[in-house]
Amino acid sequence: MAPRTTRTSGTSSSGVPTSVITLDEVRAAQKMLSGVSRVTALEGSRYLSGLVGSPVHLKCENLQRTGSFKLRGAYVRIAGLSAEERAAGVVAASAGNHAQGVALAASLLGVRSTVFMPQGAPLPKIAATRDYGADVRLHGQIVDETMHAAQEYARRTGAVFIHPFDHPDIIAGQGTLGLEVLEQCPEVRTVVVGVGGGGLAAGVAVAVKALRPDVRVVGVQAAGAAAYPPSLAAGHPVSIESPTTMADGIKVGRPGDVPFRIIDELVDEVRTVSEDALAAALLLCLERAKLVVEPAGACSVAALLAEPESFEGPVVAVLSGGNVDPLLMQRILRHGMAAAGRYLSLRLRLTDRPGALATLLAALTTVDANVLDVGHVRTDPRLGLTEAEVELHLETKGPEHCDEVREALREAGYRVLP
């Protein structure tokens, strides 16, 4: 796991007090959301508890309406608009979760919404946003281009731009999740939450630290899109170029100004996790917890898997969203299985004669390897006249089983290629 950034002082380096958002505002947001957002379940994880050595609970915000926590902040923000502002409509930019949260919140409040999404946004997310009532417009290849288009639309039409994380009302709404955590698990010692722009982590930190300052709040970012570590080191938001991660929900190149001030003061630590850890966490949530979680939603679990002994329990890990494109899910699951040593790809050469492939597959059967795919090449200048090359994709039981499969093939006389 990459180096962590730990807060070493109780005073914000930005000099801005946390009264920017108060506990009373978070509580007011909770009342406003009553009957709108769900109080999502808190589920124990026996597997993670065994790793950490104390109870671990999963806060299942992937089961929230629209599939993520974003409805909380979007509803509070739009509900706080004046009658004139509501009449002008709202506009947002998002690749998925914020788009759906704004669309549903606006529909519930009777406000017209326009949502700009990247042209490459997954079709299920586009369809869901439209189903929630938004006028969806596809613009740009990346979210930054989409954001500029939405802001230009707001200037041109007078619609109110609903930022995904950089507004006090958004943060207050997200903070209601923190209140639920304390109500559902009063004995909690550590809360682990994903960080993109910072709205969720900031809101959770305001609620948790106001009521339980002894509870540690740990933020987690994808290593390829980690803008907070350099920003916290510099004492102000810093942009990173070309953030890269499968976790599009936290793929943000610059912290929000408002959440940064709060995270700088109240969040105890920000860690980063690798893409392999994210894939393994998503696979674990699916197999062990029976929960569909998107990569951004699984980053808290990825941090627990990477360094379980460093967390004081009881731990609450926030699963922030479950909106994952099925095609991406398929790729991630295969990657996660490979990272866990349960998916083995190998190439080998054999004599090209009738029954040779059947003999090879029989050898794999003796070591209980499940063959997923077979590729067979006979015509290649690298091959001898009587040779064929076979590429195998196998499902295995773990790293030790992978070694057992390779050794069995060698003992059977097959040449396993590097």
Side-chain angles (χ1 to χ4, degrees):
M1 187 168 65
R4 313 171 203 164
T5 299
T6 303
R7 186 172 58 86
T8 57
S9 170
T11 302
S12 169
S13 60
S14 63
V16 178
T18 52
S19 58
V20 166
I21 300 165
T22 66
L23 176 63
D24 285 344
E25 288 172 304
V26 178
R27 283 177 165 156
Q30 188 177 45
K31 290 181 181 178
M32 188 180 296
L33 288 167
S34 177
V36 176
S37 64
R38 295 173 181 152
V39 177
T40 50
L42 194 72
E43 298 287 346
S45 172
R46 185 166 54 184
Y47 180 81
L48 290 172
S49 297
L51 288 181
V52 173
S54 60
V56 174
H57 306 279
L58 305 176
K59 177 62 171 168
C60 301
E61 203 64 6
N62 58 310
L63 303 179
Q64 182 59 263
R65 296 178 71 178
T66 75
S68 86
F69 69 95
K70 288 289 190 177
L71 173 65
R72 297 172 183 266
Y75 188 90
V76 172
R77 173 75 172 102
I78 298 172
L81 299 178
S82 67
E84 287 185 2
E85 289 171 325
R86 291 194 189 194
V90 297
V91 61
S94 167
N97 288 347
H98 181 59
Q100 293 173 67
V102 168
L104 178 57
S107 292
L108 293 172
L109 291 163
V111 177
R112 184 178 70 258
S113 65
T114 302
V115 176
F116 285 77
M117 303 180 75
Q119 291 177 353
L123 293 178
K125 294 185 178 183
I126 295 173
T129 304
R130 284 185 173 135
D131 287 345
Y132 287 129
D135 173 17
V136 175
R137 304 190 182 191
L138 303 180
H139 183 91
Q141 299 299 322
I142 60 175
V143 175
D144 284 347
E145 295 173 352
T146 308
M147 186 85 74
H148 291 320
Q151 291 170 330
E152 174 57 32
Y153 177 89
R155 285 190 290 269
R156 188 174 70 252
T157 66
V160 179
F161 179 67
I162 307 299
H163 199 283
F165 49 82
D166 204 8
H167 192 279
D169 289 348
I170 293 285
I171 295 170
Q174 319 305 26
T176 60
L177 189 150
L179 295 180
E180 288 178 17
V181 167
L182 295 181
E183 292 162 2
Q184 293 171 310
C185 186
E187 70 276 15
V188 65
R189 297 294 301 165
T190 306
V191 178
V192 189
V193 59
V195 181
L200 177 61
V204 168
V206 168
V208 170
K209 291 293 187 177
L211 294 170
R212 288 282 306 282
D214 58 306
V215 173
R216 285 180 61 78
V217 178
V218 177
V220 183
Q221 291 205 289
Y228 265 90
S231 298
L232 291 170
H236 57 82
V238 172
S239 298
I240 59 171
E241 293 185 6
S242 304
T244 304
T245 176
M246 70 174 82
D248 58 356
I250 54 173
K251 187 179 176 181
V252 177
R254 182 186 184 279
D257 292 330
V258 180
F260 174 81
R261 298 166 187 170
I262 298 168
I263 288 174
D264 185 28
E265 181 177 354
L266 294 182
V267 172
D268 296 279
E269 183 182 341
V270 176
R271 302 186 177 198
T272 62
V273 292
S274 68
E275 298 296 285
D276 282 351
L278 287 169
L282 188 148
L283 183 61
L284 183 140
C285 288
L286 186 63
E287 286 192 325
R288 297 299 184 101
K290 316 306 177 190
L291 292 168
V292 175
V293 182
E294 63 188 278
C299 62
S300 58
V301 173
L304 291 173
L305 290 175
E307 204 170 344
E309 70 283 353
S310 66
F311 292 91
E312 181 185 359
V315 177
V316 172
V318 178
L319 306 181
S320 58
N323 293 317
V324 56
D325 178 60
L327 295 178
L328 176 61
M329 170 72 88
Q330 185 179 38
R331 294 199 302 270
I332 292 171
L333 289 179
R334 284 208 168 190
H335 186 80
M337 289 178 68
R342 293 176 48 200
Y343 185 79
L344 176 62
S345 297
L346 49 81
R347 294 181 302 120
L348 48 84
R349 290 185 184 176
L350 45 76
T351 302
D352 188 13
R353 64 174 186 271
L357 183 57
T359 302
L360 168 62
L361 297 179
L364 291 170
T365 301
T366 63
V367 288
D368 201 24
N370 184 30
V371 179
L372 300 175
D373 191 32
V374 179
H376 203 186
V377 178
R378 287 189 174 92
T379 54
D380 191 294
R382 298 171 302 158
L383 300 174
L385 185 62
T386 61
E387 285 185 320
E389 186 172 295
V390 175
E391 183 174 1
L392 297 168
H393 300 278
L394 310 173
E395 182 182 1
T396 62
K397 300 172 184 177
E400 292 181 0
H401 192 207
C402 289
D403 293 338
E404 182 183 344
V405 170
R406 293 190 186 94
E407 185 59 29
L409 290 173
R410 292 189 188 99
E411 290 179 356
Y414 293 103
R415 177 186 170 195
V416 180
L417 301 174

